[in-house]
Amino acid sequence: MAFSSHKERHNRALELPEIISGGLVLFVALWMLCFQRVASGDVLERFMRGSYVLLCGVVWFHAATVLVHFVHELALRHAPGRLLWHQVPLVLAASVLFALPFLEVKLEWVFWLQAFCCLFIGVFSAVRIFLYFTARRRSVVRGRAGAWSPSVTFFSYMLALVLLSTLVLLTPGATHHGIGLTQAFFTSASATSITGLTCVNVADTFTALGKAMLLIDIQVGAVGVMTFTYFVLMMLGRRLDVRDSMTMSGVLDQQGVNVVPLLLKTVFSVTLVTELVGAVSLYILWQGVEGIPQAPLDRAGYAAFHAVSAFCNAGITLFHDGMSAPGMQGNFTAQGVMLVMMLVGTLGFGVYLEGLQRVFRRFRRQRVTRRWSTHSWLVMRVTVVVLAGGTVLLSLLALLEPSQHAAGAYSVWESLWNSVSRSAGFNLTEIDAYGPVYKMFMCVMMFVGGNPAGTGGGVFAPVLCLCLMEVWRVLRGQQDVEMHGRRIARGTVERAMATVVLSIFCIVLTTMLLLLLEPGIAVDAQGPFKMLFMVVSAYTTTGFDLGVVPELSPVSCCIVSLTMLFGRVGMFTFMLIFIKQKDPAPLRYPETRLPLN
């Protein structure tokens, strides 16, 4: 016991310089990026500033501490942890990259590689700190029920990411001309909740740092901050204990803790492969396209940003006019790539997990049942019905309803696009040009949204399907909701009904509050409907707008920002933060009936 305690103190003494120097690397790098605007003409001038020399010294000192720790572990014949094995090649590469400018190597991509190295060094230091404080907290609260619920933890992580990105967007290096606190908070909340509503023009307002921050918000917000954190820890050799697995199973809404590690790997595997294929495809298809920078590094940045935004159903673009830009509106091949990526993101990672498991079993020549799970069966069928029905109805409305939009063959393609983009917010043309019935049906489509454990928004199509089946059950006098040869658990049906009721209540209440705060919009003939459309879009994390967002006051912008976060977390999940669920009572009151007609 004494030896173990001495060994732990010795390891902490070796890790402390790594944590401090790694944190300094990230701090100095962020300081340079956020507060030093340098013209992009002379690369060497950018590198040879005094702050850059300071950053080099901190990076090389951090590399020395990591190498000393690694050599010391080998000298004691200990097996270095997986975290050290990842750190050694990283710090060696960073040391070489930071020495290149002194050798007058003027390459633009060196700057970006240095930025990525600093980011990962900071991530590894944060992992060390997280592991230390997690172990510390568990040693203190061991044996007590003092852990946060998954709902509180998930919302706290998301709010912390929004506040951190808000601070970054407020710095001079993140914008060309500066933005206000409300605008920064609104944009960060929109990106983190993968909504897509913006009160500023992203292409003209933000620099490369600001766009990179939004890209991080979109990516981490789509897969979940906690999901991202636990995946990094798992990849670095730390196994999830029972408490972590229970927390993640609650966040991912999965039954059983054994499936959590495999689901985390599926989330990041599908995300990485889809976004990589999409980015490469867009990079090739956008060659010579009007409105897209043709420099290889800039075009790669555009392709990567829109691939991530499409898969995550974020709806944020770098084009001045969105997807209706001249170079994009007629590029059907690139639109088809983004369409497929949006659809892949909305299906849900639980379906991919089951599909991959079945494929691996076939390769191993193991027995595979023909019957899919009820969840995958329902998701696939509901998705097909929503896509087909939405496309047909939107096409008919665009053709038959009088509007300012020109009807034609392109309307069918746009109707398919809007059906898929019902939870993404990419619009090929202005939605306001369509008729009122078309826009009302788009509200319904946004409310339906995607599927559980996916990157889409809304109340989710399977949830609404369960509500409709519950109504049909009551009308027919059946005892249970049945599908796919299974009886749906009563608690699942009740949660679906509660989700829909709470969502409608939140949308109506928020709309009335915003109309009270915005009398100029309320007195307009189309103002209340446009406000309702925007609130539905914000709550369902879609991103469609009829021109209301630029007219909102700062107070209204904050309310819409919170609405986007509530929609991303889920109103039912958000209510569990304040309401503690009770265990079933052993005794029940006598049953009585009430007149309803």
Side-chain angles (χ1 to χ4, degrees), residues 480-500:
D480 300 302
V481 175
E482 299 174 352
M483 67 172 68
H484 198 219
R486 292 290 185 270
R487 170 173 55 89
I488 307 302
R490 192 66 207 159
T492 302
V493 178
E494 292 173 350
R495 177 168 178 173
M497 296 293 291
T499 299
V500 173

Side-chain angles (χ1 to χ4, degrees), residues 137 146-161 225-226 230 246-248 250-251 495 565-566 569-581:
R137 184 176 68 87
W148 285 1
S149 66
S151 305
V152 178
T153 307
F154 181 59
F155 186 75
S156 301
Y157 273 57
M158 178 172 288
L159 187 59
L161 177 61
V225 186
M226 295 177 61
Y230 283 115
M246 291 178 63
T247 301
M248 285 308 306
V251 171
R495 177 168 178 173
L565 295 177
F566 296 160
V569 175
M571 203 60 198
F572 184 86
T573 305
F574 179 76
M575 294 300 294
L576 293 181
I577 298 176
F578 307 100
I579 301 175
K580 184 178 181 181
Q581 291 186 314

Side-chain angles (χ1 to χ4, degrees), residues 383-454:
T383 301
V384 172
V385 170
V386 171
L387 286 181
T391 302
V392 172
L393 289 176
L394 289 176
S395 300
L396 292 176
L397 289 174
L399 178 65
L400 301 176
E401 186 183 16
S403 64
Q404 300 177 358
H405 188 273
Y410 186 73
S411 298
V412 178
W413 171 255
E414 189 176 1
S415 298
L416 174 61
W417 176 277
N418 289 336
S419 297
V420 177
S421 186
R422 67 189 182 275
S423 61
F426 292 107
N427 57 303
L428 296 179
T429 57
E430 291 294 334
I431 301 295
D432 201 14
Y434 284 97
V437 181
Y438 189 100
K439 290 181 282 189
M440 182 62 72
F441 187 72
M442 280 302 301
C443 285
V444 177
M445 293 289 289
M446 290 188 295
F447 189 79
V448 172
N451 296 291

Side-chain angles (χ1 to χ4, degrees), residues 295-316:
L297 192 60
D298 295 335
R299 182 151 51 101
Y302 264 65
F305 189 96
H306 289 89
V308 173
S309 184
F311 175 78
C312 298
N313 282 250
I316 299 179

Side-chain angles (χ1 to χ4, degrees), residues 303-373:
F305 189 96
H306 289 89
V308 173
S309 184
F311 175 78
C312 298
N313 282 250
I316 299 179
T317 72
L318 299 182
F319 302 112
H320 296 280
D321 299 325
M323 297 302 295
S324 59
M328 281 301 302
Q329 196 169 20
N331 195 338
F332 294 102
T333 309
Q335 291 176 12
V337 172
M338 296 188 66
L339 197 73
V340 172
M341 295 187 67
M342 288 187 287
L343 182 59
V344 170
T346 56
L347 285 180
F349 296 106
V351 177
Y352 298 126
L353 173 61
E354 183 175 356
L356 291 174
Q357 287 178 327
R358 297 174 70 88
V359 170
F360 290 151
R361 287 171 184 169
R362 288 188 182 276
F363 275 122
R364 297 169 184 170
R365 296 184 178 179
Q366 297 178 352
R367 182 176 177 271
V368 180
T369 60
R370 297 181 59 184
R371 183 187 185 90
W372 285 64
S373 67

Side-chain angles (χ1 to χ4, degrees), residues 197 430-433 439 526 529-531 533-534 544-551:
L197 291 175
E430 291 294 334
I431 301 295
D432 201 14
K439 290 181 282 189
Q526 297 293 328
F529 176 74
K530 290 183 177 181
M531 185 68 77
F533 188 94
M534 188 271 300
F544 287 128
D545 183 34
L546 301 180
V548 175
V549 173
E551 302 178 12

